[in-house]
Structure formats: structure tokens, C-alpha cells
Amino acid sequence: MSDRYFKLTFICSLIGLSFFGLDIIFAQDEIQLPENDQCIICHKENEILPEDFHENDVHLKSGPSCAGCHGGNPLKEDMEEAMAEEAGFIGTPSKREIPQFCGKCHSNINIMREYQPRIPTDQVEQYYTSLHGMKLKGGDQKVADCSSCHTAHGILPAKDSRSTVHALNVPLTCKKCHSDPDYMKEYHIPTNQFEQYAESVHGIALLENQDTGAPACNDCHGNHGALPPGISSVSHVCGICHVNNMQYFSQTKMAKEFEKLEIHGCEGCHGNHKVLKTNDDMVGIGKNSFCTECHAEGEKGYAEAEMIHAELMLIVTTYDSAEALRGKVQRIGMDDIDINYLLQESHQSLIKARTLVHTFDHEQVGEKTKEGVDKAQDAIKLAIKEVKDYKTRRLGFGVATLFITILVIAMFFKIRQMER
Amino acid sequence: MIQLIKKSYQWLDERFHLTPLIEFMRHKQVPVHKHSIWYYMGGVTLFLFIIQVFTGILLLLYYQPGVDSGYESVRFLMTKVSFGWLIRSIHSWSANLFIFFIFIHMFSTFFTRAYRKPRELSWLSGFFLLLLAMGFGFSGYLLPWNELAFFATKVGTDIAGAVPLIGEAIKIVLRGGEDVTGATLSRFYAFHVALIPALFTIVLGLHLLFIQRQGMHEPDYFENLPKEKKRTIPFFPNFLLRDALLWLLVLNILLYLAVFFPWELGEKADPFSSAPEGIRPEWYFMFMFQTLKLLPAHVLFIEGEVFGVLFFTVAALVWLLVPFWELKFSGKGKTRPMKIVGIVVILYIIALTILGYIL
């Protein structure tokens, strides 16, 4: 390569690299806004952007921009022309119009398919079946519309952790209205749901442990079609996750009795927003039992509760003894692998037995607890054998030491005899 | 029976001339004096090496190197194989005692100045045996593929990577790639059961040959005694019996440690998890590891870690060449300068090792 060509290539590379560098610098400093969009240019210049405006807004980034919702001609520099009725300018919709306003696109599968082929398009339809939607239709100006939850100009995809409807943020979004006693005054419903939820097993999992698998408000009440679950549907709502508990419960006589007595299925014992971590004393005849709230001594239900509790206690105590022995085996450095497997199986039976409590049948519970107790007892036998082996090893060492000591003494005397 | 043995001996003697060898052993004398105890340290080390070979061969029958089988095979050996736990525990404890006695043997040689002419090559070969023993320890530590070993190997090979110019290449050769993976395990296995044993056997053979040829070193005051005042015992059987007695005591201590403090296996290594707390190398690497930890980020214009590695490389060379630069004794009643050097080195190793465990 001649010197001239070399210099040329070098200079070109340098220019290329400089552009690359500049590109990186500018990409970090400025978010790319739609080019030639006069709405953005003008509103930005005059600093009259909406309060909740966010440059990462999904509509701004993926195409529709301002005119996509508000109409008008974004290519016209003149404000009068850009925002003329002839150009299709709609302006700001009234609260009542918002669902239809969003629904223009979100209810049209042909439009939505361009952005997300699998996106549902029934949100508006569902919204009008919700209490929020029905009240809005009736003229209520305070109920939640689309923008109340999603915001209007700072909408982010639900999977974005900054979004108001991200799984971790949903309770905080609902809380904005539902925990405000003044705002909710006229609806005559409690405003302590969030506090209760935050203390519940679900709330701790979601808010403290950041476990997005835990249910937020919308997982039980629905999101667009939000309604409180009714008496007959409570167990179905809980059953979305707690499938077996729901199945067992719905097949019992108690399910029908609860309905007659207008007791909400699962809620009757576990509560609603403040679902606490369950324990074995919730069933039985102790002071913390829920069974005794309806069943008095002498009744069949009372005896059944007592027997179910006894079955659970049997497996729990056997399992705990086995677990303590396993700990000992582990501490002394012996083999606890098979003991661990047995205890896992026993624990599995314990979990299944606890689920079977919802059959309210001590025989079904007992069948499962027996399996678990048998496994735990096998684990205990193995653990005892390991502890015995441990002692045998020490005894073996004692015997070996004895022989070695005798040999050492004999050698010592032999050496002395030889060197005398 | 005795006739048969005699006949076999005659048959062999006729062909290999064994009698001069037996006569040599019978006439070989070992000096007896107030420092004779140190003569036995090399023997104990040799005994522990023999134990390592035997237990190592037994472990080989079950051990399967590999990311999916290393840990599992050791666990199987420890839990399901009869006396597998004992063999592994003895192998691990014996490895530590082995290195411990090498250090004792080395420092006793140093303080009795047994490295001087004509025993320079015994010292050099002994030093190479120490390096190979440390290599045994480092490579064997990873084989169970547990969490501690995995991260300790990562740190250890990283330190090797800090050697100027060739460090990166050494690291890649040791690891079999950029990271500690199954490839590292395979080659550590090869180092541990093939390469290092082969080298060790050769160097050990030379080391023993030198000692047998030159006889035991005599301290200055003993050497200067008139011949009739020198007390000695025959190597065979007296010295060998005393050796055997000590070996039995060490065996008993080894059994005690293996039974009462069985060597743990720990959790299986997970390369994707973060390093657990308390990652530290084996105790015999601790003084070097702690020095590197305490060094500032930069010493003069050199990076702290690089400085540390260079320092230990130079120190090892200086130590290796002790027979050739020994500071001579000057005047009566004065402490020998080499004694001070030895004490400073021991104090440094002990202090830094203790710091490594308490900091």
C-alpha cells in the first residue's frame, strides 16, 4: 500500500471513529423524539408540555405521537392550521370520553396488530362491565378511567418496572384513590385495604420480597373489569393459584352451607386483604381455631376438626423429631443424603395433608399424614443407624489405638534392650 | 519356610549382588547427639508420602473427574463405600501433616546448617520436593469440586496470572482456558495423579540417594569430637526401629484426626453463584495470600499484587540458593546470622498465617 493510500485510510478511519464517538455522546444525552413533529417542537419551545409527560411514553416512542390521539396536523408549523378542526383536531377529551378515546385504537385489532400481534383489544368492553366503568357511564367524575391508572402522557409498558401498572406498582396505583378517606367518602367503602394487604402474606411477598408472582390487587379483582369477587366467586378467585384447595373445598358440603350463610368461601377463615400465613392451629378445637366459631362441642364438625388437628400434629411432631436427628447426623459429619430425601417426601405429604384439610374429612387427611409419618419414621431409623455408626467408628479407633500403643511399647522395650 | 526364603535370597543375590547392599546398611551408622531428633523428621515425611500414595490409589478407584461427577463421586465414596470416609479423611489430613513435616524437616536442616558442602544438592532437591508438595496440595484441593475449592482455585490461579510477562500464559495453562471450568478440573486431576507424582518420585529418589550416599550430617561440635567420643547407632535395625516407632505414633495421630475431625465435603461448586464468605487457601499458602492482601494497591511504580508475586519469587530463589550465599559465623559467643535469618522467616510465616485467619 502506498504512503498516500495509507494516510487517506487513516484519516477516513479517524473521521469515522469521531462520528461514532459523537453518536455515543449524543445518544446518552438526548432521547430521540419524532422528527418534524411540530406539536412536540412547539410545545417544548413554549414549555407547555402536559404535567405527566414522559419522553419514554410508549405512544411517543412507537409512532402515534400527539396527533395520533388528539388529531390535528403535526406537519404544519402554523398553530392555527395544525390545530384546525379541518385537520381533525379533537383536543382534550372529557373524562367521560376517555375510554372511547383510547379505544379508538386499543379496541381495533387491525391497528393494534401492527404494534403487538397478541395484544388483547377488549379492555374498553371490560372496563364498562367494571364498577369504575358503570359509574363513569352514570356520570361519576371521580372514578378511575384509563389515564387514572396508566397516566396519559407517561404511559410505559406494564413490564417496565417504572410503569404505574407494573406488578410491583399496582397496589400503590390503586392506593392513590382507595386509601384516601376524603376522596372515597361518598362511596362508603373501607379505605384500609392497602394497609391490610401490606401486612398479608401476599403483600409481604410482593412489596417486601419483590416477588412478582405474588398477587396484587388486579389479580383478584381483575384489572379493566375490576369488581369485588362475590360469594360464589371468591373460591374461584383464590383457586386461580390455590387450585387444589379450591377443588377440595368446592366439593364439600360446607361450601354450600357457607353460600347459604352468606360466608365468602376462603375469606370466611383466611380473610380477604389481610390473608395471614396459615398455621395448623387454625383447624381443630383450640382457641385459635376457626372451626369452633361455628361448631360447638358434641357436634360432628367439632369432632372432625379435633381429629384433623390430631392427624396434622402427629405428622408435624414426627417430622420435627426426624429433622432434629438429621441435624445431629449432619453435625457429626455422617451421611444424611437418604435422610434428606425421606424428609423431603415426608414434608411433601405434610403439605398435601394441609391442603386436604379443605376436604374437612379426617380420613382423607389421615391417609396422607400416614404416608408422611412413615417416611419420617424411616428417616429416624436411618438417622439412628448413622449415629450408631458414628459411635462404632470411635470404638474402632479406640481398638486400633490400643494395638498401636501395645506395638509402640513393645518396640520401645526392644530398642532399649538392643542399645543396653 | 525359612529355607525357602534363604533359597530365594540366594537366587536373587547371585543375580543382583544384594549382599554388599545389606552390608552397607548394616554398617551405616547414625550419629546420636542432642539434635538427633531432627533426623527423624524426614522419615516421618516419607511415611506420610507413602500413606498419600496408598490412600490416593484407593481414592482413584472411585473418583471420577468432571463437573457433573467429581463432587458426586467423592460424596458417594464418603457415604456409600465401606471405609471410604476414612480413606478420604486420612488422605486429606495426611496431606496437611505431610506439608507440615516438610516445613519442620526443612527448617531443622536450615538451623543445623546441614545444607552446607557437600550437601547442597540435598537442599536443592528438598526445596523442589516442597514446591511439588505444594503443587500436590493446590491441585488436589480442587478435585472434590466443592464451593470453597472452586473459589480458592480461582483466586490462586488469578495470583499466578499476576506474574509479569508470563503470568497470563501460566494462568491459561493452569485453567485450561480463561475461567476455572471442567477443563481446569481435568488438568488439575492430571497434574495431581500423573505429572506431579512422576516428578516427585524422581526428585525423591535423588534426594534419598544423596542422603544414603553422604550419610547423616553431623553438627559442628559433634564433628569436632574425637572418634571414640562420638556415639552412634547402626542404621539397621536400630535407627529404622526408632523411625518405625515414630511412624506408628504419627499414624495414631492421623487416625485420631480422621475419625474425630472427618474432612468435610461442603457444598458443590456453582460457578454462577457469588463467592461465599471466608474464601481462603490452604494454611500453607496463607502467609503469601495474606501478604498480597495487606500490600497497598501500588508499591513504588509496581502494582501491589505484582510486587508481592515478584517478592515471593525472589525470596524463594534466595532460599533455594542458601548453600551458596550463607552468611558466615563471625567470632565466638555471637549469634549466627543465619539463625537470625531463619527465625525472622519463621516468625514472618507464623504471624502472617495467624493474621490470615483472624482478619
Side-chain angles (χ1 to χ4, degrees):
Chain A
M1 196 191 281
S2 75
D3 195 39
R4 205 170 138 209
Y5 275 118
F6 176 77
K7 278 182 187 166
L8 198 67
T9 317
F10 179 74
I11 291 166
C12 288
S13 313
L14 215 61
I15 295 169
L17 276 171
S18 314
F19 275 117
F20 180 67
L22 283 174
D23 196 39
I24 292 172
I25 294 162
F26 284 106
Q28 282 170 345
D29 284 348
E30 225 171 280
I31 285 177
Q32 295 286 308
L33 293 173
E35 279 174 30
N36 303 324
D37 189 323
Q38 293 303 323
C39 314
I40 295 284
I41 294 168
C42 202
H43 276 257
K44 232 184 153 184
E45 263 175 23
N46 293 303
E47 294 180 358
I48 44 172
L49 288 167
E51 205 181 307
D52 59 354
F53 176 77
H54 197 298
E55 284 173 334
N56 281 318
D57 179 275
V58 71
H59 298 125
L60 193 63
K61 281 182 85 176
S62 51
S65 192
C66 313
C69 300
H70 296 283
N73 188 345
L75 299 173
K76 295 280 180 192
E77 281 186 34
D78 182 70
M79 190 180 79
E80 301 282 329
E81 285 182 72
M83 294 167 70
E85 257 182 60
E86 299 79 59
F89 185 70
I90 307 166
T92 309
S94 69
K95 187 173 178 70
R96 205 167 169 179
E97 287 167 341
I98 287 176
Q100 299 298 342
F101 189 76
C102 301
K104 273 190 303 184
C105 298
H106 280 275
S107 298
N108 187 333
I109 188 64
N110 293 322
I111 296 174
M112 293 313 295
R113 203 177 271 151
E114 280 181 41
Y115 301 100
Q116 281 186 45
R118 295 178 64 189
I119 196 171
T121 47
D122 61 345
Q123 295 96 328
V124 175
E125 208 178 308
Q126 277 202 37
Y127 173 74
Y128 283 121
T129 65
S130 76
L131 218 54
H132 294 144
M134 287 190 279
K135 282 195 178 287
L136 186 78
K137 244 184 189 170
D140 190 327
Q141 289 295 303
K142 285 174 75 179
V143 284
D145 57 55
C146 313
S147 65
S148 314
C149 302
H150 293 277
T151 76
H153 304 97
I155 299 174
L156 297 169
K159 65 181 176 195
D160 188 321
S161 60
R162 295 168 300 175
S163 165
T164 49
V165 291
H166 180 262
L168 293 175
N169 300 330
V170 166
L172 300 168
T173 300
C174 302
K175 179 192 172 204
K176 275 192 295 185
C177 301
H178 282 275
S179 290
D180 184 340
D182 292 333
Y183 196 79
M184 299 301 292
K185 204 171 179 181
E186 63 195 82
Y187 301 107
H188 308 291
I189 59 170
T191 50
N192 61 350
Q193 299 96 328
F194 180 81
E195 282 74 25
Q196 288 199 341
Y197 170 76
E199 287 174 33
S200 76
V201 67
H202 299 139
I204 291 169
L206 187 82
L207 303 172
E208 282 182 26
N209 303 336
Q210 309 270 297
D211 177 359
T212 49
C217 316
N218 60 321
D219 289 297
C220 299
H221 294 282
N223 33 34
H224 300 106
L227 271 175
I231 292 170
S232 57
S233 58
V234 162
S235 55
H236 293 288
V237 168
C238 303
I240 294 168
C241 299
H242 304 277
V243 183
N244 291 332
N245 305 44
M246 185 269 286
Q247 265 182 2
Y248 294 142
F249 175 75
S250 57
Q251 285 163 9
T252 61
K253 277 188 211 163
M254 292 247 298
K256 292 174 190 79
E257 289 300 318
F258 269 34
E259 219 171 314
K260 271 188 219 163
L261 295 166
E262 294 196 352
I263 301 172
H264 287 217
C266 316
E267 195 187 327
C269 301
H270 297 281
N272 46 26
H273 298 109
K274 196 177 177 177
V275 176
L276 296 177
K277 191 167 169 51
T278 52
N279 63 66
D280 294 324
D281 290 337
M282 285 170 72
V283 66
I285 52 167
K287 62 177 180 187
N288 294 323
S289 159
F290 284 100
C291 311
T292 48
E293 283 183 19
C294 302
H295 299 285
E297 203 171 348
E299 283 180 26
K300 199 183 162 204
Y302 186 90
E304 197 69 33
E306 190 176 11
M307 285 189 280
I308 290 173
H309 185 254
E311 290 288 356
L312 287 180
M313 284 303 101
L314 178 66
I315 183 170
V316 166
T317 47
T318 320
Y319 178 84
D320 286 348
S321 313
E323 177 60 36
L325 268 172
R326 189 203 61 80
K328 187 177 176 185
V329 169
Q330 194 192 28
R331 271 197 306 283
I332 60 176
M334 299 296 285
D335 174 18
D336 66 342
I337 299 173
D338 290 337
I339 302 172
N340 267 329
Y341 288 138
L342 284 167
L343 280 178
Q344 273 172 19
E345 285 179 45
S346 176
H347 195 252
Q348 205 56 36
S349 299
L350 174 60
I351 293 171
K352 284 180 184 166
R354 280 171 176 158
T355 307
L356 280 164
V357 166
H358 300 92
T359 61
F360 310 115
D361 176 0
H362 81 274
E363 279 180 10
Q364 287 192 55
V365 176
E367 215 173 285
K368 212 29 90 182
T369 52
K370 190 182 174 309
E371 274 178 31
V373 168
D374 288 348
K375 295 284 176 197
Q377 276 169 347
D378 287 346
I380 289 173
K381 276 182 207 157
L382 262 183
I384 290 171
K385 187 183 159 290
E386 288 297 324
V387 174
K388 243 184 193 169
D389 278 357
Y390 173 73
K391 286 178 182 161
T392 314
R393 283 179 188 187
R394 291 180 169 224
L395 189 72
F397 169 73
V399 174
T401 305
L402 186 71
F403 278 112
I404 291 173
T405 313
I406 292 170
L407 206 57
V408 166
I409 294 170
M411 282 171 81
F412 176 74
F413 283 114
K414 177 72 186 164
I415 293 168
R416 271 190 65 177
Q417 188 198 10
M418 278 166 58
E419 291 176 7
R420 194 168 283 164
Chain B
M1 185 70 183
I2 293 168
Q3 280 303 314
L4 187 73
I5 294 171
K6 274 185 178 169
K7 273 191 176 170
S8 305
Y9 177 75
Q10 275 168 7
W11 191 88
L12 285 168
D13 191 34
E14 204 182 331
R15 283 156 185 82
F16 299 105
H17 309 293
L18 295 177
T19 311
L21 205 67
I22 303 285
E23 283 307 303
F24 169 75
M25 281 174 72
R26 198 171 280 163
H27 290 104
K28 190 186 166 186
Q29 293 289 315
V30 178
V32 178
H33 49 79
K34 60 179 178 180
H35 296 306
S36 301
I37 180 76
W38 302 115
Y39 288 150
Y40 299 94
M41 296 303 129
V44 171
T45 314
L46 179 66
F47 170 65
L48 289 166
F49 176 68
I50 295 167
I51 288 186
Q52 284 307 87
V53 173
F54 275 102
T55 50
I57 290 170
L58 290 177
L59 293 177
L60 263 180
L61 300 179
Y62 286 94
Y63 180 72
Q64 296 167 14
V67 172
D68 297 321
S69 56
Y71 181 86
E72 286 74 8
S73 61
V74 178
R75 192 169 64 171
F76 176 80
L77 174 95
M78 287 177 69
T79 54
K80 302 291 175 210
V81 178
S82 299
F83 294 103
W85 61 274
L86 185 65
I87 299 298
R88 195 219 163 203
S89 206
I90 287 179
H91 193 75
S92 304
W93 273 113
S94 173
N96 283 277
L97 290 179
F98 175 51
I99 292 186
F100 177 72
F101 276 101
I102 292 182
F103 271 108
I104 302 236
H105 181 48
M106 182 180 74
F107 279 107
S108 64
T109 309
F110 182 85
F111 285 115
T112 52
R113 299 165 77 208
Y115 50 76
R116 286 178 304 165
K117 190 182 170 186
R119 295 185 175 78
E120 298 96 327
L121 287 182
S122 303
W123 172 264
L124 292 185
S125 55
F127 185 79
F128 284 122
L129 287 175
L130 168 68
L131 293 187
L132 287 170
M134 285 174 134
F136 260 132
F138 188 61
S139 55
Y141 195 47
L142 179 70
L143 299 189
W145 198 246
N146 58 23
E147 205 177 34
L148 272 176
F150 175 81
F151 286 103
T153 305
K154 219 170 179 174
V155 175
T157 44
D158 265 336
I159 292 170
V163 176
L165 302 172
I166 51 165
E168 197 56 29
I170 294 176
K171 191 172 94 175
I172 295 211
V173 169
L174 283 176
R175 288 184 174 180
E178 288 290 332
D179 292 310
V180 175
T181 59
T184 322
L185 183 59
S186 298
R187 60 185 56 198
F188 270 44
Y189 175 65
F191 294 154
H192 193 75
V193 305
L195 186 64
I196 302 177
L199 291 174
F200 198 92
T201 310
I202 295 168
V203 184
L204 179 65
L206 285 173
H207 191 71
L208 293 176
L209 186 73
F210 295 154
I211 290 157
Q212 287 307 319
R213 198 80 193 111
Q214 296 175 326
M216 298 296 198
H217 162 260
E218 294 175 3
D220 291 342
Y221 76 91
F222 189 86
E223 209 174 359
N224 297 331
L225 285 175
K227 203 174 179 187
E228 62 280 5
K229 283 197 174 173
K230 284 184 181 177
R231 200 187 143 210
T232 57
I233 52 166
F235 178 78
F236 183 81
N238 299 44
F239 185 77
L240 220 55
L241 264 177
R242 285 167 175 237
D243 238 355
L245 192 147
L246 196 61
W247 291 11
L248 279 176
L249 287 176
V250 172
L251 177 70
N252 208 25
I253 293 171
L254 191 60
L255 283 176
Y256 171 77
L257 290 169
V259 171
F260 285 84
F261 304 97
W263 208 264
E264 280 183 17
L265 179 59
E267 295 286 318
K268 189 180 173 176
D270 176 7
F272 299 109
S273 71
S274 51
E277 270 186 43
I279 286 294
R280 55 167 75 114
E282 292 277 62
W283 61 269
Y284 40 88
F285 290 117
M286 188 55 106
F287 70 98
M288 292 189 267
F289 182 68
Q290 189 58 27
T291 308
L292 293 180
K293 262 172 76 180
L294 292 179
L295 278 174
H298 283 91
V299 180
L300 302 172
F301 56 90
I302 315 174
E303 222 177 281
E305 201 177 31
V306 177
F307 177 83
V309 171
L310 280 176
F311 169 74
F312 281 115
T313 312
V314 173
L317 269 174
V318 170
W319 193 251
L320 169 72
L321 299 174
V322 155
F324 308 103
W325 61 264
E326 187 197 18
L327 301 170
K328 295 283 186 268
F329 174 65
S330 53
K332 264 187 179 175
K334 287 186 183 171
T335 315
R336 286 176 182 150
M338 290 312 276
K339 207 175 196 176
I340 298 171
V341 171
I343 290 170
V344 168
V345 171
I346 289 185
L347 286 179
Y348 179 80
I349 291 176
I350 294 176
L352 267 290
T353 305
I354 293 172
L355 274 181
Y357 282 97
I358 57 173
L359 282 186

